[in-house]
Amino acid sequence: MPKKNVSCTQRALNLTLAGTLSVLVGMGLAGLGARAETPALKAEDAFLYVLPKVEVPDDVQPIKGAVNEEFRNCRAAWPAEYSAAQSGPEARALRDIYSLVRARNVIATKDCSCSGKVASWDSVEAVAAILRKKQGVATLDWFHTEAISTEAHRLIAVAETMCGGDF
Protein backbone atom coordinates (compact mmCIF):
# COMPACT_ATOMS: atom_id res chain seq x y z
CA MET A 1 0.00 0.00 0.00
CA PRO A 2 1.47 3.43 -0.93
CA LYS A 3 2.46 5.81 1.85
CA LYS A 4 0.17 8.77 2.38
CA ASN A 5 1.60 12.23 2.88
CA VAL A 6 0.76 13.34 6.38
CA SER A 7 0.91 17.03 7.26
CA CYS A 8 2.69 18.35 10.35
CA THR A 9 -0.71 19.28 11.75
CA GLN A 10 -2.03 15.75 11.28
CA ARG A 11 1.12 14.24 12.85
CA ALA A 12 0.76 16.58 15.83
CA LEU A 13 -2.92 15.69 16.12
CA ASN A 14 -2.10 11.98 16.00
CA LEU A 15 0.55 12.47 18.68
CA THR A 16 -1.92 14.47 20.77
CA LEU A 17 -4.53 11.71 20.55
CA ALA A 18 -1.97 9.03 21.39
CA GLY A 19 -0.72 11.08 24.32
CA THR A 20 -4.22 11.65 25.60
CA LEU A 21 -4.85 7.91 25.54
CA SER A 22 -1.63 7.24 27.43
CA VAL A 23 -2.59 9.83 30.06
CA LEU A 24 -6.02 8.22 30.43
CA VAL A 25 -4.40 4.82 30.81
CA GLY A 26 -1.96 6.26 33.37
CA MET A 27 -4.86 7.69 35.34
CA GLY A 28 -6.75 4.40 35.16
CA LEU A 29 -9.63 5.92 33.17
CA ALA A 30 -9.24 4.03 29.90
CA GLY A 31 -10.04 0.62 31.32
CA LEU A 32 -11.69 0.84 34.70
CA GLY A 33 -10.62 -2.72 35.50
CA ALA A 34 -7.51 -3.69 37.41
CA ARG A 35 -4.14 -2.69 36.01
CA ALA A 36 -0.59 -3.45 36.99
CA GLU A 37 1.43 -0.55 38.36
CA THR A 38 4.61 0.07 36.41
CA PRO A 39 7.36 2.61 37.00
CA ALA A 40 6.38 4.37 33.74
CA LEU A 41 2.78 4.83 34.89
CA LYS A 42 3.92 6.07 38.29
CA ALA A 43 6.13 8.60 36.51
CA GLU A 44 3.17 9.75 34.46
CA ASP A 45 1.11 10.14 37.61
CA ALA A 46 3.78 12.40 39.09
CA PHE A 47 3.74 15.00 36.35
CA LEU A 48 -0.03 14.80 35.93
CA TYR A 49 -0.60 15.92 39.50
CA VAL A 50 2.30 18.35 40.01
CA LEU A 51 2.27 20.37 36.80
CA PRO A 52 -0.72 22.48 35.83
CA LYS A 53 -2.84 21.14 32.99
CA VAL A 54 -1.82 22.40 29.57
CA GLU A 55 -4.46 22.67 26.86
CA VAL A 56 -3.40 21.15 23.55
CA PRO A 57 -5.72 22.16 20.72
CA ASP A 58 -7.34 19.38 18.68
CA ASP A 59 -6.12 21.01 15.46
CA VAL A 60 -2.63 22.34 16.13
CA GLN A 61 -1.89 25.32 13.92
CA PRO A 62 1.20 27.51 13.54
CA ILE A 63 1.05 30.70 15.60
CA LYS A 64 0.66 33.65 13.24
CA GLY A 65 3.70 35.89 13.39
CA ALA A 66 5.61 33.56 15.72
CA VAL A 67 9.36 34.02 15.75
CA ASN A 68 10.90 30.67 16.63
CA GLU A 69 14.12 30.58 18.61
CA GLU A 70 15.75 27.19 19.14
CA PHE A 71 16.36 26.36 22.80
CA ARG A 72 20.04 25.70 22.16
CA ASN A 73 20.42 29.36 21.17
CA CYS A 74 19.05 30.47 24.57
CA ARG A 75 22.02 29.23 26.62
CA ALA A 76 22.53 32.61 28.31
CA ALA A 77 19.05 32.29 29.86
CA TRP A 78 19.27 28.62 30.91
CA PRO A 79 18.67 28.03 34.62
CA ALA A 80 21.93 27.22 36.43
CA GLU A 81 20.40 23.89 37.50
CA TYR A 82 19.83 22.90 33.85
CA SER A 83 23.43 23.71 32.99
CA ALA A 84 24.51 21.57 35.97
CA ALA A 85 22.24 18.73 34.80
CA GLN A 86 24.40 18.13 31.73
CA SER A 87 26.28 15.54 33.76
CA GLY A 88 25.88 13.65 36.99
CA PRO A 89 23.91 10.70 38.28
CA GLU A 90 20.46 12.24 37.68
CA ALA A 91 21.34 14.23 34.57
CA ARG A 92 19.21 12.31 32.07
CA ALA A 93 16.17 12.14 34.37
CA LEU A 94 16.28 15.85 35.22
CA ARG A 95 16.69 16.81 31.56
CA ASP A 96 13.70 14.60 30.66
CA ILE A 97 11.57 16.42 33.21
CA TYR A 98 12.84 19.82 32.06
CA SER A 99 12.03 18.98 28.43
CA LEU A 100 8.44 18.34 29.43
CA VAL A 101 8.27 21.55 31.48
CA ARG A 102 9.71 23.61 28.59
CA ALA A 103 7.34 22.15 25.99
CA ARG A 104 4.34 22.71 28.26
CA ASN A 105 5.47 26.30 28.83
CA VAL A 106 5.68 27.05 25.09
CA ILE A 107 2.24 25.56 24.46
CA ALA A 108 0.64 27.36 27.41
CA THR A 109 2.20 30.77 26.71
CA LYS A 110 2.32 30.47 22.89
CA ASP A 111 5.77 32.02 23.18
CA CYS A 112 8.35 30.56 20.79
CA SER A 113 11.17 32.85 21.89
CA CYS A 114 13.78 32.14 24.53
CA SER A 115 11.49 33.47 27.24
CA GLY A 116 8.94 30.79 26.33
CA LYS A 117 11.43 27.98 25.91
CA VAL A 118 13.45 28.64 29.06
CA ALA A 119 11.18 27.61 31.93
CA SER A 120 11.57 27.77 35.69
CA TRP A 121 13.47 24.90 37.32
CA ASP A 122 11.06 24.79 40.29
CA SER A 123 8.65 22.41 38.52
CA VAL A 124 11.54 20.06 37.73
CA GLU A 125 12.47 19.85 41.39
CA ALA A 126 8.85 19.27 42.43
CA VAL A 127 8.35 16.40 39.95
CA ALA A 128 11.77 14.91 40.78
CA ALA A 129 10.99 14.94 44.52
CA ILE A 130 7.69 13.12 43.99
CA LEU A 131 9.30 10.57 41.67
CA ARG A 132 12.08 9.87 44.16
CA LYS A 133 9.52 9.32 46.90
CA LYS A 134 7.16 7.17 44.76
CA GLN A 135 10.04 5.08 43.42
CA GLY A 136 11.74 4.82 46.81
CA VAL A 137 15.08 5.96 45.43
CA ALA A 138 17.55 8.68 46.32
CA THR A 139 18.69 9.10 42.71
CA LEU A 140 16.51 9.06 39.59
CA ASP A 141 17.61 7.15 36.52
CA TRP A 142 16.41 7.32 32.92
CA PHE A 143 13.83 4.55 33.38
CA HIS A 144 12.13 6.52 36.16
CA THR A 145 11.35 9.29 33.66
CA GLU A 146 10.67 7.23 30.56
CA ALA A 147 6.95 8.17 30.43
CA ILE A 148 7.83 11.80 31.05
CA SER A 149 10.32 11.70 28.17
CA THR A 150 7.66 10.20 25.89
CA GLU A 151 5.17 12.92 26.85
CA ALA A 152 7.85 15.60 26.36
CA HIS A 153 8.52 14.33 22.82
CA ARG A 154 4.80 14.43 22.08
CA LEU A 155 4.46 18.00 23.32
CA ILE A 156 7.66 19.13 21.59
CA ALA A 157 6.12 17.99 18.28
CA VAL A 158 3.08 20.14 19.07
CA ALA A 159 5.29 23.11 20.02
CA GLU A 160 7.33 22.73 16.83
CA THR A 161 4.14 22.84 14.76
CA MET A 162 2.93 25.90 16.69
CA CYS A 163 6.29 27.67 16.41
CA GLY A 164 7.04 26.66 12.82
CA GLY A 165 10.51 25.27 13.49
CA ASP A 166 12.84 23.20 15.61
CA PHE A 167 12.37 23.30 19.33
Side-chain angles (χ1 to χ4, degrees):
M1 182 151 81
K3 277 188 164 179
K4 294 188 331 189
N5 286 335
V6 178
S7 70
C8 288
T9 301
Q10 186 61 45
R11 276 196 308 264
L13 179 58
N14 290 344
L15 288 170
T16 300
L17 293 173
T20 300
L21 179 59
S22 71
V23 169
L24 291 174
V25 169
M27 292 173 64
L29 300 175
L32 295 173
R35 66 179 170 89
E37 285 293 321
T38 64
L41 291 177
K42 287 181 182 180
E44 259 187 310
D45 288 344
F47 76 80
L48 285 171
Y49 297 112
V50 172
L51 300 176
K53 183 172 171 52
V54 65
E55 294 296 325
V56 178
D58 290 335
D59 183 24
V60 179
Q61 296 293 321
I63 301 167
K64 290 182 179 166
V67 177
N68 185 51
E69 186 66 51
E70 292 183 35
F71 177 73
R72 65 186 171 142
N73 296 330
C74 304
R75 184 178 286 262
W78 287 0
E81 299 91 344
Y82 179 75
S83 295
Q86 300 309 301
S87 63
E90 287 190 307
R92 165 71 188 274
L94 294 175
R95 289 193 318 266
D96 285 347
I97 298 167
Y98 191 60
S99 291
L100 176 71
V101 170
R102 291 185 307 116
R104 292 169 58 91
N105 195 55
V106 168
I107 293 167
T109 63
K110 295 180 176 50
D111 183 352
C112 302
S113 70
C114 286
S115 62
K117 291 189 178 176
V118 176
S120 167
W121 192 260
D122 294 342
S123 296
V124 174
E125 290 297 336
V127 171
I130 289 173
L131 284 174
R132 286 183 202 104
K133 183 176 180 180
K134 283 185 137 194
Q135 299 292 335
V137 297
T139 304
L140 294 173
D141 210 333
W142 69 268
F143 52 86
H144 296 122
T145 56
E146 190 172 10
I148 289 173
S149 178
T150 299
E151 179 69 358
H153 281 55
R154 180 184 79 80
L155 292 180
I156 286 170
V158 171
E160 287 179 334
T161 299
M162 292 173 71
C163 295
D166 291 339
F167 195 73

